[in-house]
Amino acid sequence: MLYGAVSVICPKSTGHTLQNLVLCMMSCLFYAWGEPYYIFLMLVQILIVYGLSLIMERKQEKRAGTIAYLLAILFPLSSLFYFKYSGIKNLTLPIGISFYTFQLVSYAIDVRRRVVKPPKSLLTFMTYVTFFPQLIAGPIVRYSDMERELTERTRTNQDMADGIVRFSVGLAKKVLLANVLGEFVQEASQIGQRSLALSWGYALAVSLQLYFDFSGYSDMAIGLGRMFGFHFPENFQYPFISKSMTEFWRRWHMTLGAWFRDYVYIPLGGNRVRPARWVLNILIVWTLTGLWHGAGWNFAVWGFYFGILLIVERAIKINGSSIFCKVLQHAYVVVGILISFLIFHEENMDHAWLAITSLWKIPVSVDEACGYLLRNRLGILALGIIGATPLPRILWGKLCTWLNREWMIRSIQGVAVLVLMVLCTAYLIDGSFNPFLYFRF
Amino acid sequence: MVIIMQKHADTVVKYMFFCLLLAGAVGILCLPKETYTKAERRKLANFPKFTIESVLQEDYMSDLETYLLDHFPGREHLRRVKALFAYDILQQKENNDIYMVGNVAAKLEYPLNQASVEKAAEKMQKLQEMYFPESKIGEGKVYYTIVPDKNYFLAEQNGYPTMDYDMLVNMIQEKLTDMSYIDIMDTLSIEDYYRTDTHWRQEQIFDTAQIIAEQMGHDVLLQGELQEISDFYGVYYGQSALPLPAEKLYYLENESTKNAKVSSLEDKTMNSVYTTNKTDVDKYDVYLGGAQALIHIENPEAKTDARLILFRDSFGSSLAPLLLEAYREVILIDTRYIKPELLADYVDFETNMENTQILFLYNTLLLNNSSMLR
């Protein structure tokens, strides 16, 4: 955080080139801190894709341009494939490779499609890819999202204050909610025979942990980006209030969904094809979405599972229909999400199946700690459920309307930031290890 | 005017945030560094040595983060903030496995680790076979007792999970058929333990000591004067990070304890039963200097030539002075710190064995985690 503070303070009075240089250097240092070897892999990929994009730009209509385009896509994707799916023993996955690979590929495709032009300066491109707030955990920011601000951004006090508030909220989501829910997940996973209630509590905690973990990091990235004068796209929009899986995926990891839509689904024909082909398109996209998250069969099943649900919803027209009443729709989505994240979270499909079936099977005997575990974590579960809904935001909106003074609202936010930062620091100090679930993507 | 106030508010938020970050950084850099945390009973991390190798292996980064967390300014206050948030806001029943029943702190220990209990019994059996076979010392000379931890009195009654103590005792009894079991469970209650520590209070276990002595064929009068040490904060005080009040610690002084000749294998300066000079870190260490592998006590005031070999954990430190008056010689052995195979180099297992009794005294927490025993 001090690192970020220096990055913010130092470049304020300097030109964009110098600002980008400092940002880029510090982002590389940030990445090298966790990956002293694989920083070079990322830099090499950046150089190669940038060089190929220049060739694409100059030789757009020619064969060289096409070859450069194919190489610009294949090189980063093959690197991702090698590290993630080759299964080579002792080969560690570089942090954030899934994120920056998709950034590089989207850039190459957008250059080909003439949506963007390659920047004149390699530094600008490097700043885009390496920018530390979103480098290891997203959102998946396209070059077109940052193009203007890389050379023309302004930073206002309001941006800074908004960014600080957003960052603090994200940090609190991660440290105070996700990590504590993670403790409950860990405790419940060690219980031999879970009771029905604990099984549901476990499933809920797994889903909420994933949500707050990932959305917390997205908030931190968006907040930090704002502090530097960048406006990143939103990544989560209260996914648990969805009334269909279609809606869920418009609210969950929105930048990934948009990426697959624009670069895989639509090129495959999208929904402007025969029904059989459309079904295939959906299954391909969603299986790939699952595999992007991890190299295990459970991730492929997870993606495929959503693909099937989306197909079924389209077929029986759940989205926008009144076949189910709103409560049943919502319940269907919640149960579907809980099941999906059990598949996502467990080590393998056997464990996932056990966890899923425990949601309806009444065990013959239960571990006597089940009741205690649930009672111990009722508070965090309740906080998590409320936090996953728009209710806090609605209440905050009502308070702001009532106060009707911007400076008072900002002052309350300032106090809240202070409280959240102290609490998060307290939690981080009390524990010592704080892994982010998605950092190996 | 409103716009100016808005701008000021934005500026205040900005500077407040960075001042907070800066305060943390300055605190870490400038404040004097502690090397040990009394609250957590452990050494704090040292500043890692910067080498190319440590950077490339990522050890430097993780060690630096550990160092920064260990030396963050106001660490203990922040841990308290976290504890209060967990208990009061999140309504958790425990924090770092420490739970409170009234003003008594205890640590969750669940479930029963049957493999560990079996291993503990095997180790005791092995020691008996190695040094105290019946052919050598006769029948009925080897005893064992099990000290219940605080969960025995608190956990189940207050809705916390607990290990199966009955099964634990049964498992030990089934294994140690050649030893005599001294049951002290009913002699104890939660009031006999410190509120903020795992241990029992010496001044509260006179009846327990008398039962043990009686079952071993001795009488202990336990007369003397209780000395007081104030401001005792037990191990759970630090782990819980809660603002618990200090307690008083008492130790019984009499002619036996005053005149005893004490020597330790590890600590050559140790020469008394109650080591009042060793209470800086943990005041419970007043009892026989705390964690020691081997202690030898000679009691010139004893009325018999009896010898006691006590295989023990830290609970034995406060019990041994109460048994001292019945023995000419007491040898305390803690096999967490010395290998059983080496004992013959330091303890005479050949002479005076007809007057020797052996007592294994372990608490249930140790039995449930017996990998600590060598």
Side-chain angles (χ1 to χ4, degrees), chain B residues 254-262 273 298-301 324:
Chain B
N254 52 35
E255 291 307 308
S256 292
T257 63
K258 279 184 201 168
N259 298 324
K261 290 183 185 138
V262 181
V273 171
E298 276 182 33
N299 175 20
E301 305 294 322
L324 186 58

Side-chain angles (χ1 to χ4, degrees), chain A residues 364-386:
Chain A
V364 171
S365 66
V366 296
D367 197 298
E368 57 191 40
C370 290
Y372 163 76
L373 282 182
L374 258 182
R375 284 196 314 274
N376 191 36
R377 300 295 185 177
L378 271 179
I380 190 63
L381 280 173
L383 206 59
I385 290 169
I386 293 169

Side-chain angles (χ1 to χ4, degrees), chain B residues 122-140:
Chain B
E122 281 169 17
K123 287 175 184 174
M124 288 194 266
Q125 202 173 40
K126 193 178 162 191
L127 273 163
Q128 184 193 19
E129 286 163 7
M130 204 186 299
Y131 297 117
F132 318 112
E134 266 187 22
S135 55
K136 188 169 166 184
I137 68 167
E139 267 185 43

Side-chain angles (χ1 to χ4, degrees), chain A residues 430, chain B residues 39-40 75-89 92-106 160 195-196 233-246:
Chain A
D430 193 70
Chain B
E40 295 169 69
R75 181 187 161 80
E76 294 309 320
H77 298 296
L78 286 166
R79 288 191 64 236
R80 182 158 296 170
V81 165
K82 187 257 178 178
L84 292 170
F85 183 81
Y87 278 117
D88 295 337
I89 306 297
Q92 279 178 214
K93 311 292 171 222
E94 50 75 33
N95 178 44
N96 296 333
D97 283 344
I98 305 291
Y99 65 94
M100 301 295 301
V101 175
N103 61 356
V104 178
Y160 291 93
R195 289 193 307 275
T196 62
Y233 292 99
V235 67
Y236 294 149
Y237 170 80
Q239 289 183 18
S240 70
L242 290 172
L244 303 174

